[in-house]
Amino acid sequence: MSATEATEIVKPDNAPLINEESDDGDEEGQDVVAPNGEQKKKKKKKKPKKKAKAGVKQTDPPTVGLSKIFTDGIYPEGETQEYINDNTWRTTSEEKRYLERMNLEDEENTYNNIRRAAEVHRVVRQYARRTIRPGMTMTEIANMIEDGTRALVEENGFESGIGFPTGLSLNHCAAHYTPNAGDKKVLQIGDVLKVDFGVHVKGRIVDSAYTLNFEPTYDNLLESVKAATNAGVRASGIDARLGEVGREIQEVMESYEVVIGTDTKRVKCISNLNGHSIHPYRIHGDKSVPIVDNGDPTKMEEGEYFAIETFGSTGRGRVIEEGEVSHYAKIVDAPHVPLRLVTAKSLLKTITTSFGSLPFCRRYLDRLGESKYLLGLNHLVSQGIVQDYPPLVDNPGSMTAQFEHTILLRPTRKEVVSRGEDY
């Protein structure tokens, strides 16, 4: 099954039955001679028919864990793109093909983990895309996406689960907004909504995002960012320089204009937002993928995972931190400092055992039964143990859009693991 096919495996109605017999009454056997010398047909005892077992179907909304559908444990490969220029030899290299086979068989490095996470993302987001409508609250949308993710990935501690909180940033807010408890914000018909969520399997995180609008004013903004993300994906590869990837993204995105009433605005890259490498259990690795030409000579390398993530704006093209914080993550190399607050010590234990280095939000702490934790959480932030991520906003009145794909730089070719029919 290709990556763009639905996760529904159903035996066709006209498929042959196991041990199928004739439907026309008793079957005829060999000729036998009766006592009077006449030949008659011997009746053959009819065996009961066994019906073929139908495959497991996905529900709507999706709730069936993917292991019940992909029973062989093999998940769809993403879109593959061959390397270009000095790396075209990789496609047919026996050495590189052998290395890929070894990776598939290795429990830690197998591509099946990221592919399983990607298939969860595709199924959940495609349901969300046809379901999200003006009038829904941000909390309803977040719960819908996260409930689907937990069910399909068969959430199991650090084995599989949510990769990071569902981002539902609106309008001039470009990133890092998800509703906290009590948030009553309702989606409006004129809103531009960024939907950014992650899925992980054994720490391999799929990070993919798209933008929705419900009237045509900002269609060109969405189209520019989607095209720029695809340009970034095409430009990425083994030995590609990060600054050159940024240049390709910028050239495509900033070639678009948006007409708003009598005003025409050129789409701008949000220059201080970037894509990034992805490490096991760490959504932000050590490499940043710019979306403007910043001259960074750092190269992408074989075996790396990247989030190619672009943001466009009708505003100033830069974001600042502003608003109530919802996103947090424990810092991987955080210092060991004495904590005077008992609540902070208890909360840190919950964060470590429940999330490790994966990002989380306040709703997730509520779900675990934590209460009155804000003082302790702020103390962990002030001590440099937990990082907070405030909403990132352009100037009020502007609109922002985002598209993002996760890619894997395999030895023989590039795999866009999160690609789907939708984007």
Side-chain angles (χ1 to χ4, degrees):
M1 185 184 294
S2 71
T4 57
E5 291 180 90
T7 58
E8 181 174 311
I9 304 178
V10 184
K11 198 165 185 96
D13 291 336
N14 61 350
L17 297 174
I18 299 172
N19 293 331
E20 187 171 30
E21 303 285 350
S22 169
D23 289 329
D24 300 327
D26 291 336
E27 290 192 351
E28 291 184 338
Q30 295 178 340
D31 289 345
V32 295
V33 179
N36 61 4
E38 295 180 5
Q39 284 191 339
K40 292 186 177 181
K41 294 287 185 180
K42 182 179 180 181
K43 295 287 186 179
K44 188 177 180 181
K45 189 174 180 180
K46 186 178 179 182
K47 295 179 181 178
K49 290 184 287 187
K50 297 179 183 178
K51 292 185 178 179
K53 186 178 179 181
V56 177
K57 294 167 47 175
Q58 189 55 264
T59 56
D60 188 31
T63 59
V64 179
L66 290 195
S67 70
K68 296 176 179 64
I69 295 174
F70 296 92
T71 54
D72 59 0
I74 305 300
Y75 295 89
E77 181 182 42
E79 176 192 73
T80 58
Q81 298 181 9
E82 294 186 2
Y83 294 123
I84 59 175
N85 301 328
D86 293 340
N87 279 306
T88 55
W89 62 273
R90 289 175 170 273
T91 305
T92 56
S93 167
E94 286 301 324
E95 177 189 353
K96 297 302 181 183
R97 287 179 175 180
Y98 174 78
L99 182 57
E100 285 195 357
R101 290 195 296 272
M102 292 301 98
N103 284 340
L104 273 171
E105 294 172 9
D106 184 273
E107 187 173 336
E108 182 177 343
N109 295 316
T110 180
Y111 305 142
N112 262 324
N113 291 334
I114 195 75
R115 289 171 182 169
R116 178 180 163 197
E119 184 67 7
V120 170
H121 199 286
R122 275 188 289 273
V123 176
V124 171
R125 81 182 186 227
Q126 287 168 7
Y127 174 77
R129 284 170 70 87
R130 64 178 183 265
T131 304
I132 295 172
R133 290 291 180 269
M136 296 179 71
T137 67
M138 296 298 103
T139 300
E140 288 173 335
I141 296 170
N143 287 339
M144 174 181 64
I145 291 170
E146 290 166 359
D147 288 348
T149 298
R150 290 186 177 105
L152 269 61
V153 81
E154 295 157 288
E155 185 178 45
N156 180 25
F158 292 116
E159 282 291 303
S160 58
I162 290 173
F164 55 86
T166 302
L168 296 172
S169 303
L170 287 170
N171 304 333
H172 72 292
C173 180
H176 295 171
Y177 162 82
T178 197
N180 288 325
D183 191 315
K184 303 297 184 185
K185 192 172 296 179
V186 175
L187 183 64
Q188 305 296 320
I189 195 168
D191 286 338
V192 175
L193 172 67
K194 279 73 64 183
V195 181
D196 185 359
F197 70 100
V199 186
H200 89 87
V201 173
K202 295 184 178 179
R204 285 299 180 191
I205 306 169
V206 164
D207 183 1
S208 188
Y210 58 94
T211 301
L212 295 175
N213 62 331
F214 306 95
E215 56 90 26
T217 302
Y218 294 98
D219 282 356
N220 255 21
L221 172 64
L222 273 63
E223 184 58 35
S224 70
V225 181
K226 183 178 178 181
T229 296
N230 286 330
V233 168
R234 287 192 300 272
S236 298
I238 295 170
D239 297 332
R241 297 185 186 276
L242 298 177
E244 293 173 0
V245 175
R247 182 183 65 222
E248 295 294 322
I249 290 169
Q250 185 174 18
E251 284 182 2
V252 171
M253 191 184 300
E254 295 190 349
S255 67
Y256 283 76
E257 294 179 336
V258 178
V259 177
I260 308 167
T262 58
D263 293 336
T264 300
K265 295 181 179 289
R266 180 171 58 87
V267 177
K268 296 178 184 177
C269 294
I270 300 181
S271 58
N272 59 336
L273 291 179
N274 304 293
H276 47 89
S277 58
I278 307 174
H279 293 174
Y281 297 102
R282 289 177 58 193
I283 187 59
H284 291 142
D286 56 351
K287 293 182 179 178
S288 293
V289 184
I291 63 173
V292 294
D293 184 3
N294 68 353
D296 186 347
T298 305
K299 290 183 177 181
M300 294 178 163
E301 299 175 71
E302 180 181 308
E304 290 185 314
Y305 292 74
F306 283 93
I308 306 301
E309 176 175 22
T310 76
F311 295 85
S313 175
T314 61
R316 61 178 170 245
R318 289 188 66 83
V319 291
I320 60 171
E321 295 180 347
E322 182 179 280
E324 183 180 61
V325 179
S326 56
H327 286 57
Y328 301 84
K330 184 182 176 184
I331 298 171
V332 173
D333 54 354
H336 295 282
V337 297
L339 296 172
R340 291 187 293 274
L341 284 177
V342 175
T343 54
K345 291 179 183 179
S346 173
L347 184 61
L348 180 58
K349 183 178 180 180
T350 297
I351 291 169
T352 302
T353 57
S354 301
F355 311 112
S357 54
L358 292 170
F360 61 95
C361 65
R362 284 158 56 176
R363 282 186 296 106
Y364 296 178
L365 294 175
D366 300 335
R367 191 171 182 269
L368 291 171
E370 292 288 333
S371 61
K372 300 179 180 178
Y373 53 76
L374 270 181
L375 182 62
L377 184 56
N378 290 334
H379 186 62
L380 293 174
V381 171
S382 68
Q383 294 300 306
I385 298 171
V386 169
Q387 178 69 54
D388 61 344
Y389 295 93
L392 299 172
V393 302
D394 204 323
N395 55 294
S398 65
M399 289 292 185
T400 61
Q402 172 194 18
F403 278 88
E404 177 179 21
H405 274 301
T406 295
I407 65 170
L408 161 60
L409 302 184
R410 286 164 41 187
T412 65
R413 51 181 54 82
K414 168 176 49 187
E415 183 174 345
V416 190
V417 295
S418 55
R419 181 73 79 193
E421 290 180 340
D422 47 356
Y423 66 90

